[in-house]
Amino acid sequence: MKAFQIADGKLKSASKPLPKLRRGWAVIRVRLAGICNTDIEILRGYHAFRGVPGHEFVGEVAEVRGVSSRKRAQWIGRRVTGEINISCAARGFRPVCPFCRRGLKTHCTRRTVLGIVNHDGAFAEYLTLPLENLHRIPDSISDEQAVFVEPLAAACEILAQVNVSKFRKAAVLGDGKLAQLIARVLHSAIPRVVMYGKHSDKLSLARRAKIETKRVAGDASDLKRIKHMFPLVVEATGSPTGLTLAQHMTEPRGTLVLKSTFHGAAPVETRPIVVKEITVVGSRCGPFAKAVALLRTGKVDPMPLIARTFPLDQAPAAIHFAQESNVTKVLLKPDSQGTR
């Protein structure tokens, strides 16, 4: 199969054999894959990953192994997306780790992660995942919508971690791909959501979704200029500098949710956290079923976020384009030419 893998900080074309299947696993033919900021950070050294990146995808099940003929018929040809954390149980470890025993499979101590940690991802014609990780995509949801399920689920995780019903307003710092989804998810549950970003084109996308926006410089001057405070702040800038501004904007005894993942360290001053008694919540992967429901009901529409679709052959050009300042979601399509 055709794939692109990390080599010396770049995406390089590779011809790889079809993945071998474990019992209870599936081979999925990738229909669309999304480029995430985490993929860009992987090119910069995040997790020291050396395989095939890509963890946002929609595909169709091409083969399964170790299941009954009835169950096989239920899966073959179905459109699916998949949770990216692969637990030790799915990889055949016995006994399972303490976190899996507690039902915290996303924190499995021996987990691999699709396209991020020791498991080849979606920048390829095929990938493999355990059947337990797969979620069927309803016919009413297009491929272009379904490719957003994984990042949309990450945005929905905030609703699972924080009792948003007690907040009347919230701020989202950042105007990138994940921040856009977070703002839309919060807007479905909180009366007032304000997005703070530095790119006018991206802020206009949020306003089209009826989200209030504020322009920032994205540097230290914001600390002096911005006087607004919020009981709930979500930091999704993808930049180490975003954390300082997020602390500054969180009210005393407010809640600060951290969503950014990047290669390297962030300068952290703990004084605002202690003095203002801020609750800090780390937030990562989330509920796929909730994300699928938001797409099915139309409460969240990610389609305006698609900037361009490239054929898989042009993956290096696609990831270069994805790093331009005003670009939102870039997609890869393995089996046909991309469109502008």
Side-chain angles (χ1 to χ4, degrees):
M1 69 172 183
K2 186 181 302 177
F4 280 83
Q5 59 189 24
I6 304 291
D8 301 321
K10 296 180 180 179
L11 276 182
K12 299 289 182 69
S13 178
S15 180
K16 300 172 73 73
L18 282 174
K20 293 182 179 180
L21 276 184
R22 300 172 182 265
R23 291 181 62 84
W25 284 54
V27 171
I28 296 123
R29 183 176 71 83
V30 179
R31 294 168 65 106
L32 275 179
I35 295 177
C36 170
N37 193 61
T38 300
D39 301 316
I40 295 168
E41 293 298 330
I42 283 172
L43 286 172
R44 297 168 181 163
Y46 183 64
H47 273 302
F49 184 65
R50 293 294 178 267
V52 177
H55 57 277
E56 301 175 2
F57 77 93
V58 58
E60 61 185 53
V61 177
E63 188 55 275
V64 296
R65 182 178 174 221
V67 300
S68 67
S69 58
R70 184 178 65 84
K71 190 170 184 179
R72 184 178 187 277
Q74 291 173 346
W75 282 109
I76 296 295
R78 292 297 185 111
R79 281 194 313 146
V80 296
T81 188
E83 299 188 36
I84 66 176
N85 295 281
I86 303 163
S87 70
C88 57
R91 294 170 61 218
F93 287 100
R94 298 293 186 275
V96 299
C97 75
F99 292 103
C100 285
R101 285 200 298 272
R102 291 165 53 190
L104 300 174
K105 291 186 176 182
T106 60
H107 294 280
C108 170
T109 58
R110 293 176 293 204
R111 76 184 182 276
T112 58
V113 186
L114 181 73
I116 299 174
V117 180
N118 297 326
H119 191 88
D120 282 345
F123 293 179
E125 292 179 304
Y126 294 88
L127 60 82
T128 61
L129 278 175
L131 288 172
E132 68 181 41
N133 283 50
L134 301 184
H135 292 259
R136 292 180 175 88
I137 299 299
D139 292 341
S140 60
I141 297 176
S142 69
D143 284 352
E144 288 76 12
Q145 293 171 309
V147 78
F148 282 91
V149 169
E150 193 279 334
L152 184 57
C156 291
E157 179 70 357
I158 297 170
L159 303 184
Q161 294 174 300
V162 177
N163 180 11
V164 295
S165 64
K166 69 179 184 179
F167 298 107
R168 302 298 296 171
K169 63 179 182 176
V172 176
L173 305 194
D175 53 19
K177 300 175 283 291
L178 181 56
Q180 295 278 348
L181 294 175
I182 290 168
R184 285 159 173 75
V185 168
L186 291 181
H187 185 60
S188 72
I190 296 176
R192 183 183 178 217
V193 177
V194 185
M195 173 180 283
Y196 287 78
K198 60 182 182 179
H199 304 101
S200 57
D201 290 349
K202 293 179 180 179
L203 293 175
S204 68
L205 286 173
R207 287 195 296 274
R208 284 170 58 184
K210 304 189 185 315
I211 294 162
E212 189 178 337
T213 65
K214 301 287 184 183
R215 187 85 177 267
V216 296
D219 57 33
S221 67
D222 291 330
L223 293 172
K224 295 181 179 179
R225 293 190 306 105
I226 297 177
K227 306 300 182 184
H228 305 109
M229 299 181 75
F230 291 80
L232 175 62
V233 175
V234 181
E235 194 286 305
T237 64
S239 167
T241 59
L243 181 56
T244 301
L245 180 60
Q247 292 179 90
H248 171 73
M249 292 180 62
T250 305
E251 287 182 359
R253 295 207 172 179
T255 299
L256 169 56
V257 179
L258 303 183
K259 273 293 187 183
S260 290
T261 54
F262 45 80
H263 179 58
V268 179
E269 182 185 359
T270 59
R271 185 189 62 80
I273 297 172
V274 174
V275 172
K276 292 200 286 184
E277 298 181 309
I278 294 171
T279 298
V280 179
V281 179
S283 186
R284 190 166 51 99
C285 303
F288 273 49
K290 174 67 173 176
V292 170
L294 287 174
L295 292 174
R296 190 180 63 248
T297 60
K299 289 184 178 179
V300 172
D301 177 16
M303 296 296 287
L305 301 180
I306 299 174
R308 186 174 171 186
T309 300
F310 286 77
L312 179 62
D313 284 345
Q314 296 179 23
I319 207 158
H320 183 268
F321 179 69
Q323 295 178 67
E324 295 183 13
S325 62
N326 276 315
V327 172
T328 47
K329 181 61 72 179
V330 177
L331 304 179
L332 291 173
K333 191 173 183 66
D335 60 355
S336 65
Q337 293 297 305
T339 56
R340 292 182 180 276

